[in-house]
Amino acid sequence: MLLIQLAGPHRGEPWTADAARGMLRRAGHRAQLPGPITPKAFRHQFTNDVMDASGGKPLVAKAAGNWASMQMVDEVYGHPDLHSPEFTTALKSVWGEE
């Protein structure tokens, strides 16, 4: 329970998913952002950040993000760091530039 009702008849109860989406929609509109902001985008970014910080370890990202499957985290978020020297070296090797 991250967000709770602070007023009204449901005070102290968790927000519904619709309430969170509405809050994000209104905040995005006030900030004049070009597109919608979704709760899923926060979880996606958090998982990407954990994967990067852990050196690409899906087990760490699975635990931190409370994902059901490490395999799914690895398949969806297990991407190479496109800016790492190892990635560049591997590409140059395959392309015959080294």
Side-chain angles (χ1 to χ4, degrees), residues 17-97:
D18 285 340
R21 282 189 285 275
M23 184 271 305
L24 290 172
R25 183 181 62 251
R26 290 187 300 276
H29 182 71
R30 282 192 307 272
Q32 299 178 344
L33 297 176
I37 304 169
T38 63
K40 180 181 175 182
F42 287 99
R43 190 176 193 199
H44 178 79
Q45 186 62 52
F46 175 76
T47 303
N48 276 322
D49 292 346
V50 171
M51 285 289 285
D52 289 344
S54 70
K57 294 181 176 63
L59 181 60
V60 175
K62 176 197 176 297
N66 197 32
W67 291 95
S69 162
M70 185 177 74
Q71 179 181 356
M72 189 282 306
V73 171
D74 190 40
E75 289 174 2
V76 174
Y77 299 98
H79 55 278
D81 179 359
L82 302 179
H83 306 291
S84 75
E86 294 86 4
F87 185 76
T88 304
T89 300
L91 286 180
K92 285 181 178 181
S93 175
V94 170
W95 292 336
E97 294 181 14

